[in-house]
Amino acid sequence: MFIDLSEVTQRLRRMSSEELDVSGSYQSFLLDLIREGKDTLVVDQVSVWLFDDISDPKKLINVANTQWDNDLNAEDYPVLLCDEYPNYFEAISTGVSINATDALNDPRTAEFRDTYLIYNKITTMLDATIFKNGIPHGVVCCEGRGPLREWQSAEIAYAEMVADCCSRRLLVNELWTLQQQLTKLAFHDALTGLKNRRYLMDSAHREIRRHIRAGEQLSVVMLDIDHFKRINDSYGHEIGDVILQEFALCCKQALRVEDSLCRLGGEEFIVLLPNTPVEGAQEVAERLRINVEKNIIETAHHYIQVTVSCGVAQVNLAKPFSFSLKQVDHAVYDAKAQGRNRVVVSK
């Protein structure tokens, strides 16, 4: 079989440079590459296998396969254990492609003879290593049925290019995943799991623009746990953290999906209420206050009841959100001055 490396290289380069949605399964962003490999090499099946741990691999996980009709869930991916196929894993670890003309008798692949090759009528294999930072990360496995096949140098080079393209897409997926994690860290409070002040400010600016266009009202509620310093002093900061987590959960359960509950810091929380007039926000705040008061928090050695002081304000859409934050903060101050465990609407 003759392969024009110049032509197929151009196709692979174009495919590997395409913008992809890597937020889905491995199958979705590797499939076009391995289908291209299957057609070009004229083999019966191409699959991608990745090590579970690049530094101390115990198994290979089959993450993409041209034979699959549908995407598999990660927990359903087939696996190969290193201990059961030591010769094959040793061959992969060298980084040298496995060009097994006679897969049933080649010492690198013969371990699969009775468990896989004969049953699936696989006679010949060409496996190219996927690298990550110069270390074997997995393998692209090309399998053929029928007559034995003497793999040509151009075919081996092409299979290695497919493996390199897979490596680049896997790197893009890894970077995307890292970006999502960093974004979550940047906009989430680690203790309560709620959105943080940074998210609140960004979200508020977007909501203000949206509400101006729609002609709707936007309101905000600030909640401040009463005597929280006393709780920390009496029970310790670990119990204080439990109180904050339980408080956040209690409030979240009482809100709509579209409402944004954020932790400002310390014992202060904010709820942004889209399409809500100040009267509706007052009702929400009162419901939150009652729910918090009724929620007895159980710890290892204590049953603790907390209360909350709430301030309510309608967001002034004509001014920066910081203006409305000051208004609702003053309302919380008034609620505390009036005896705590109450709701005060900004004047």
Side-chain angles (χ1 to χ4, degrees):
M1 175 183 175
F2 173 75
I3 288 184
D4 183 344
L5 277 179
S6 177
E7 179 183 343
V8 297
T9 299
Q10 287 299 323
R11 287 207 303 268
L12 282 177
R13 290 179 64 193
R14 283 194 296 270
M15 295 175 82
S16 63
S17 68
E18 290 174 353
E19 185 175 349
L20 297 168
D21 177 12
V22 294
S23 61
S25 67
Y26 285 115
Q27 182 82 355
S28 62
F29 60 90
L30 294 176
L31 190 56
D32 58 340
L33 288 174
I34 59 177
R35 279 177 174 166
E36 171 73 11
K38 178 177 179 290
D39 293 341
T40 301
L41 290 171
V42 193
V43 292
D44 295 283
Q45 176 175 307
V46 178
S47 53
V48 177
W49 300 73
L50 299 177
F51 283 125
D52 59 327
D53 183 345
I54 191 171
S55 60
D56 184 24
K58 295 292 190 298
K59 58 187 174 181
L60 273 174
I61 305 168
N62 185 192
V63 298
N65 197 312
T66 55
Q67 296 292 95
W68 295 348
D69 293 328
N70 301 299
D71 287 358
L72 297 184
N73 295 322
E75 58 269 20
D76 297 325
Y77 288 153
V79 299
L80 294 175
L81 299 179
C82 298
D83 291 343
E84 294 180 4
Y85 304 98
N87 293 337
Y88 182 70
F89 278 91
E90 183 179 354
I92 292 175
S93 66
T94 66
V96 178
S97 294
I98 300 174
N99 54 329
T101 296
D102 181 358
L104 278 74
N105 295 301
D106 190 297
R108 298 166 295 181
T109 56
E111 294 167 321
F112 299 109
R113 178 187 179 94
D114 297 325
T115 58
Y116 177 75
L117 297 178
I118 293 177
Y119 178 80
N120 291 282
K121 300 179 181 179
I122 302 299
T123 56
T124 186
M125 293 173 63
L126 173 58
D127 292 7
T129 304
I130 296 172
F131 292 98
K132 179 181 179 182
N133 299 325
I135 301 172
H137 179 40
V139 65
V140 173
C141 183
C142 309
E143 301 171 352
R145 301 184 178 96
L148 301 185
R149 182 163 170 179
E150 192 72 38
W151 297 101
Q152 304 302 309
S153 58
E155 294 172 330
I156 297 172
Y158 175 77
E160 291 172 348
M161 283 188 285
V162 173
D164 288 343
C165 289
C166 289
S167 178
R168 283 194 288 273
R169 287 201 175 171
L170 291 167
L171 177 60
V172 169
N173 175 254
E174 188 174 294
L175 291 174
W176 179 86
T177 302
L178 179 61
Q179 183 183 40
Q180 301 308 302
Q181 293 171 345
L182 291 175
T183 299
K184 184 175 181 179
L185 289 173
F187 290 102
H188 281 73
D189 172 58
L191 177 64
T192 63
L194 299 178
K195 301 294 195 304
N196 59 17
R197 184 186 186 95
R198 181 177 178 182
Y199 175 88
L200 170 69
M201 301 308 291
D202 287 351
S203 177
H205 293 319
R206 290 194 302 271
E207 289 296 332
I208 286 173
R209 291 194 297 269
R210 185 172 72 84
H211 282 72
I212 289 174
R213 291 194 301 270
E216 299 284 349
Q217 293 177 316
L218 177 66
S219 293
V220 63
V221 175
M222 180 179 285
L223 306 99
D224 193 311
I225 300 175
D226 295 327
H227 300 299
F228 187 70
K229 185 179 183 301
R230 184 184 301 173
I231 293 172
N232 275 334
D233 291 342
S234 300
Y235 302 105
H237 287 278
E238 287 187 6
I239 298 299
D241 287 347
V242 172
I243 298 296
L244 291 171
Q245 292 168 335
E246 291 294 324
F247 175 84
L249 181 61
C250 178
C251 292
K252 193 174 182 179
Q253 291 172 340
L255 295 169
R256 304 171 298 180
V257 173
E258 61 267 33
D259 299 332
S260 291
L261 174 63
C262 306
R263 184 186 179 195
L264 278 184
E267 66 272 27
E268 289 186 328
F269 297 78
I270 282 280
V271 186
L272 200 60
L273 300 167
N275 307 320
T276 305
V278 70
E279 296 82 9
Q282 185 176 5
E283 293 176 4
V284 171
E286 184 61 26
R287 183 169 69 247
L288 289 170
R289 186 194 67 79
I290 293 172
N291 284 3
V292 169
E293 187 176 24
K294 288 181 177 179
N295 184 40
I296 306 300
I297 300 171
E298 181 180 354
T299 68
H301 304 289
H302 305 283
Y303 292 91
I304 303 172
Q305 180 187 37
V306 299
T307 60
V308 64
S309 298
C310 306
V312 178
Q314 183 172 314
V315 175
N316 189 325
L317 303 179
K319 293 187 177 182
F321 184 62
S322 56
F323 174 82
S324 300
L325 269 183
K326 288 180 181 178
Q327 283 189 306
V328 76
D329 185 52
H330 289 155
V332 168
Y333 180 83
D334 290 341
K336 289 189 175 292
Q338 293 173 29
R340 294 183 169 83
N341 191 25
R342 66 190 65 233
V343 174
V344 171
V345 178
S346 175
K347 300 174 183 178

